[in-house]
Amino acid sequence: MATRTFMNINDAKRLIGCKADVGRWALVFCRITESYYAEGLANEYKLGYVTRRHKKMVSSPLVILHFILICVTLHCNNLAEAKTNVRPNIVLILTDDLDVSIGGMIPLVKTKKLIGDAGITFTNTFVASPLCCPSRASILTGKYPHNHHVVNNTLEGNCSSTAWQKTQEPDSFPAFLQKHGTYQTFFAGKYLNEYGSKKAGGVEHVPPGWDHWFALERNSKYYNYTLSVNGRAQRHGQNYSEDYLTDVLANISIDFLENKSNRRPFFMMVSTPAPHSPWTAAPQYESSFSNVKAPRDPNFNIHGKDKHWLIRQAKTPMTNSSVEFLDNAYRKRWRTLLSVDDLVEKVVKKLEVRGELSNTYIIFTSDNGYHTGQFSLPMDKRQLYEFDIRVPLLVRGPDIKPNQTSSLLVANVDLGPTILDIAGYNVNETKMDGMSFLPIMIGKGNSSTWRSDVLVEYEGEGSNISDPACPLLGPGVSECFPDCVCEDSYNNTYACVRTVSQAANLQYCEFDDNEVFVEVYNLTADPFQLSNIAKSIDQEVLEKMNHRLMMLQSCSGQSCRTPGVYDSKFRFDPRLMFSSLVPHRNKLRQTLK
């Protein structure tokens, strides 16, 4: 018979009957006894880990019996502990720039089948800010941007800065999970856009809350990147089989599932680069969707005549070259998502094989949406419209009935509270602004007990000098395309109340500019946001929405979850409308100096 070897203590733990986190010698005894029982006494003298003293010990039938009793006891204890471990596992799969309004979920056939069809799909899920770093900060902290102070994707905007590390990371939900010692935690993929910056600790910095850390340095890439592997740099090149990031993340995740402790529940967060630019597809998918084009919805390639000046400056109709460029980008985005679909399938199948799927919540979502040609804006995010602020949210797990759809209003500030709620922690003891949607998923929540509005905030960015290619635009703009259409500016700074209730499906937004420009949309009558009704809507509604917006922009924790304008419990106090509320963005600038 073949001789087996004792490789190391972790390998030994995975052998039959010795899966518990027991002592080294107990494992040796277990393994010796099991081998004797299975193969007979003679084979044991061939094993390299049996010492002379062990040979003398195991020569006695009485000692062998003792060994058997030890192993039976350990194995039974292991089974007993496994049965008492009722806390479910949690997997969060976060994509980068995945829209839901312009068809982003269409390529994800397996994801929809394995998560959405097996659980619940939320159709009204919004981000606190339509930009990567502020949105991801909201996911991690459960806070709106005015409370976590991340305003853009730069260190100066508090993205993975030392200030963020000192003030916000210790209060993130992974830190809370780890601090209480119950969950083993794993992260792989894109963290924050400036993570790994030398000015903020480099890749040596491992945020609190993570037992296993495989984080991408800086922004999304597919090849030629660096991972922080528990604080050590691991560089990758251009070899598909070894380096394609989405597949690397899938393999790392599977390794974790195979080698983790079985005595504690786990939280696993996998953050893919797709479908973020540079939209590099895996070789096998490079020719997929060759005939697909960006959707020609009613708001595609039209002039936003009643919108903020930044939208009005877009050239309509777009040039043929611009349309061709964005169609090509749209196809490339879809191609990258096919590897995400494969990743989801691998994770779900591995959980199923291990017998852990039925006790695992799997959450699939994105950090923000995207646009390709809407209102003649070529491509980006950052705008207040549905295509940029609405994201997919699919969840499966224990007690979630399959094939459910919920139209209740959810925001990404709710992810942290929900994960903590699943883990058995009291969300009210945290500083989070969001609320747990676990009751909705398991059928214990309804519209009468749920919120009716959420806050969306964005602080625009611009250059201090004019773009030489577009001198007529002057300073203050950014993200400009060759035809001088710009996607951002300093005064593209806004805050919105997004309302979804039985009485209204409304968006109210104010810009922090010289005009104090206002945009209002009735999404029931106008789902593509073609008509700004700010000048025609009832003045009382405008006043109430303005009041509500001021309240939300200054809220913190529980005060962020108070009744909205269309909630029966809402109370309107005009005296609060013109309080000495200093715009929070000025406070943020002072905080970050």
Side-chain angles (χ1 to χ4, degrees):
M1 294 185 183
T3 301
R4 291 167 295 178
T5 59
F6 195 128
M7 291 180 288
N8 57 52
I9 196 74
N10 291 322
D11 292 329
K13 290 177 184 178
R14 293 193 293 272
L15 293 173
I16 300 171
C18 299
K19 295 179 180 178
D21 290 334
V22 296
R24 172 182 290 273
W25 291 115
L27 282 166
V28 173
F29 291 162
C30 265
R31 193 66 197 98
I32 292 172
T33 306
E34 288 170 357
S35 295
Y36 269 103
Y37 186 80
E39 299 181 16
L41 183 62
N43 277 339
E44 286 310 317
Y45 289 93
K46 300 177 183 178
L47 295 177
Y49 63 82
V50 180
T51 66
R52 290 183 179 179
R53 189 169 67 171
H54 292 153
K55 292 177 185 177
K56 293 179 180 178
M57 290 171 63
V58 300
S59 63
S60 166
L62 185 59
V63 172
I64 294 175
L65 179 60
H66 287 165
F67 287 173
I68 293 174
L69 291 174
I70 290 172
C71 288
V72 169
T73 302
L74 290 171
H75 191 62
C76 289
N77 287 343
N78 187 32
L79 291 175
E81 288 194 30
K83 289 180 179 179
T84 58
N85 174 26
V86 296
R87 286 295 167 202
N89 308 307
I90 309 164
V91 176
L92 172 60
I93 300 173
L94 178 66
T95 53
D96 197 355
D97 287 3
L98 175 61
D99 68 274
V100 70
S101 295
I102 60 171
M105 287 298 296
I106 293 175
L108 295 164
V109 176
K110 291 181 283 192
T111 299
K112 288 185 287 185
K113 178 181 178 181
L114 293 171
I115 304 180
D117 293 350
I120 186 169
T121 298
F122 290 90
T123 58
N124 285 310
T125 305
F126 297 90
V127 295
S129 187
L131 188 63
C132 298
C133 205
S135 179
R136 288 165 180 264
S138 287
I139 291 172
L140 291 165
T141 64
K143 299 177 183 178
Y144 287 119
H146 69 264
N147 286 328
H148 63 56
H149 310 311
V150 178
V151 297
N152 57 42
N153 290 341
T154 67
L155 279 177
E156 295 74 21
N158 209 26
C159 181
S160 201
S161 66
T162 53
W164 154 266
Q165 294 170 13
K166 292 177 182 177
T167 63
Q168 301 301 319
E169 281 185 342
D171 289 331
S172 66
F173 76 82
F176 199 82
L177 287 175
Q178 189 190 59
K179 183 168 59 177
H180 285 72
T182 304
Y183 277 74
Q184 50 191 319
T185 56
F186 167 92
F187 180 88
K190 175 180 172 179
Y191 181 58
L192 300 175
N193 296 57
E194 284 294 330
Y195 172 76
S197 171
K198 295 296 183 183
K199 295 180 180 179
V203 296
E204 293 77 18
H205 171 68
V206 177
W210 302 105
D211 299 314
H212 307 274
W213 179 252
F214 300 85
L216 177 67
E217 180 187 39
R218 304 290 180 103
N219 205 1
S220 286
K221 291 183 178 181
Y222 299 83
Y223 293 110
N224 300 310
Y225 56 85
T226 297
L227 290 180
S228 170
V229 179
N230 297 318
R232 291 189 175 186
Q234 183 186 90
R235 292 174 177 81
H236 285 258
Q238 250 176 272
N239 186 318
Y240 167 70
S241 62
E242 297 178 357
D243 302 313
Y244 188 70
L245 182 55
T246 306
D247 290 356
V248 168
L249 299 181
N251 294 336
I252 294 172
S253 301
I254 297 306
D255 286 344
F256 167 73
L257 292 176
E258 289 179 341
N259 295 299
K260 64 178 177 58
S261 168
N262 294 323
R263 298 179 67 193
R264 297 165 58 201
F266 68 86
F267 169 72
M268 183 169 78
M269 181 172 178
V270 185
S271 181
T272 71
H276 195 285
S277 61
W279 315 307
T280 309
Q284 66 270 31
Y285 298 133
E286 287 177 347
S287 59
S288 301
F289 309 120
S290 57
N291 297 319
V292 167
K293 295 182 179 180
R296 268 52 171 177
D297 291 329
N299 55 9
F300 179 83
N301 199 13
I302 67 165
H303 188 242
K305 58 183 182 299
D306 56 4
K307 294 172 171 44
H308 190 243
W309 78 269
L310 185 67
I311 310 302
R312 297 197 303 267
Q313 57 88 35
K315 293 178 173 59
T316 306
M318 294 182 287
T319 62
N320 290 337
S321 60
S322 293
V323 173
E324 183 179 344
F325 178 73
L326 67 87
D327 278 338
N328 189 38
Y330 190 87
R331 285 189 289 272
K332 288 181 176 180
R333 283 169 53 81
W334 274 26
R335 290 166 183 160
T336 67
L337 287 170
L338 294 176
S339 294
V340 174
D341 217 26
D342 292 341
L343 180 152
V344 170
E345 181 182 43
K346 290 175 184 177
V347 170
V348 172
K349 295 301 182 185
K350 176 58 66 174
L351 289 168
E352 186 175 30
V353 168
R354 290 180 57 84
E356 296 177 309
L357 183 59
S358 62
N359 193 41
T360 301
Y361 286 91
I362 305 177
I363 305 168
F364 182 90
T365 190
S366 175
D367 56 359
N368 48 256
Y370 206 72
H371 59 260
T372 51
Q374 285 67 39
F375 300 124
S376 297
L377 297 171
M379 65 186 67
D380 196 41
K381 48 260 186 171
R382 306 171 200 265
Q383 308 306 331
L384 58 85
Y385 308 104
E386 295 287 284
F387 40 74
D388 285 357
I389 66 173
R390 184 189 288 268
V391 293
L393 178 60
L394 289 64
V395 191
R396 69 171 292 167
D399 300 320
I400 300 178
K401 295 179 180 179
N403 296 304
Q404 287 190 82
T405 300
S406 175
S407 60
L408 294 182
L409 183 61
V410 175
N412 64 350
V413 294
D414 300 331
L415 288 171
T418 301
I419 290 168
L420 291 180
D421 193 10
I422 292 171
Y425 301 124
N426 186 352
V427 179
N428 293 326
E429 294 180 359
T430 72
K431 301 176 182 178
M432 295 183 175
D433 302 332
M435 53 197 298
S436 170
F437 53 84
L438 178 60
I440 297 174
M441 296 193 292
I442 62 177
K444 295 182 179 180
N446 54 58
S447 58
S448 64
T449 59
W450 195 245
R451 65 144 80 86
S452 60
D453 61 17
V454 294
L455 176 67
V456 179
E457 302 175 288
Y458 179 72
E459 180 163 335
E461 297 178 80
S463 173
N464 292 325
I465 59 174
S466 299
D467 186 335
C470 306
L472 296 179
L473 291 176
V477 294
S478 63
E479 306 298 322
C480 298
F481 284 80
D483 56 358
C484 296
V485 174
C486 300
E487 293 273 5
D488 206 6
S489 66
Y490 279 132
N491 63 4
N492 184 39
T493 295
Y494 58 81
C496 304
V497 180
R498 184 65 177 90
T499 300
V500 176
S501 70
Q502 293 180 345
N505 186 6
L506 194 74
Q507 185 177 22
Y508 173 89
C509 302
E510 293 181 8
F511 283 84
D512 186 9
D513 61 6
N514 293 334
E515 295 181 83
V516 192
F517 196 81
V518 176
E519 294 190 29
V520 184
Y521 298 97
N522 178 347
L523 277 298
T524 301
D526 181 21
F528 295 100
Q529 298 172 290
L530 302 177
S531 300
N532 178 8
I533 59 173
K535 295 182 178 179
S536 60
I537 196 170
D538 186 88
Q539 185 64 27
E540 182 181 355
V541 174
L542 283 179
E543 291 177 355
K544 288 182 178 180
M545 295 307 296
N546 170 263
H547 173 258
R548 180 62 177 163
L549 180 59
M550 288 199 304
M551 289 179 62
L552 286 175
Q553 283 188 280
S554 59
C555 76
S556 179
Q558 180 62 41
S559 63
C560 297
R561 305 189 287 272
T562 54
V565 169
Y566 288 91
D567 192 299
S568 60
K569 299 178 181 177
F570 176 75
R571 295 294 178 264
F572 176 48
D573 186 353
R575 293 173 298 177
L576 299 177
M577 283 189 57
F578 303 104
S579 64
S580 57
L581 178 64
V582 179
H584 74 270
R585 295 180 181 85
N586 292 335
K587 291 182 180 179
L588 290 183
R589 292 184 186 279
Q590 295 169 8
T591 301
L592 298 175
K593 288 181 180 178

